[in-house]
Amino acid sequence: MIMIPDLLPGTVDRELRKAYTAFASSPLALAYEVIITGHWGCGAFGGNKHVKAAIQWCAASLAGVGKPRFICWEELEGDSFPVAFRNFMDVIRADGRQGPEDVLGILRALGPEDVEEGGDGVFREILKRLR
């Protein structure tokens, strides 16, 4: 088990409110079709990019954003995050039964020590619980 401070009680909702506010702030006439974003935060609350990305996707979906697009500088350094996030989103979209509310419910239910492996383990745990 690893410790993921981003999953401490209240943290998911705090991050969701910040992201939703940013994504929903456009007037309807200027609604975003695509949001280009990356890893948010300074790491003071853990900075787990898998948790942050899932929250950003949920916030963008709830705000009615057409498609969030993540720019990941780590991609140049061989980080597995871009592929893992794409695969995570592909599974959710292909299933079609679950949406952002379901993912948020799981994120809220996960404790800071509920993920067995770091990194991609967050996505695997969410998908396991969605089934």
Side-chain angles (χ1 to χ4, degrees):
M1 297 284 181
I2 62 165
M3 172 70 161
I4 301 177
D6 299 273
L7 296 173
L8 287 166
T11 305
V12 169
D13 287 323
R14 183 192 66 236
E15 295 300 308
L16 176 69
R17 281 190 298 274
K18 290 191 300 188
Y20 179 85
T21 300
F23 299 155
S25 65
S26 174
L28 289 179
L30 302 172
Y32 299 114
E33 290 180 25
V34 174
I35 288 179
I36 298 176
T37 187
H39 305 305
W40 285 12
C42 64
F45 300 102
N48 183 287
K49 58 188 165 188
H50 299 80
V51 173
K52 300 278 190 189
I55 292 170
Q56 287 182 55
W57 171 76
C58 291
S61 297
L62 294 171
V65 171
K67 181 180 180 182
R69 180 172 168 216
F70 286 81
I71 305 298
C72 308
W73 62 268
E74 290 91 349
E75 198 166 354
L76 300 174
E77 298 176 12
D79 188 352
S80 65
F81 174 80
V83 172
F85 185 65
R86 225 175 332 229
N87 292 341
F88 172 70
M89 294 310 310
D90 287 347
V91 171
I92 290 176
R93 288 184 186 124
D95 181 272
R97 292 177 292 160
Q98 284 89 15
E101 295 88 355
D102 302 299
V103 172
L104 279 172
I106 291 168
L107 285 169
R108 288 175 178 133
L110 284 173
E113 296 177 350
D114 287 344
V115 177
E116 292 187 18
E117 298 176 35
D120 301 353
V122 171
F123 293 153
R124 282 192 295 279
E125 187 65 27
I126 292 170
L127 292 175
K128 180 176 93 176
R129 292 182 183 217
L130 282 173
R131 293 185 186 124

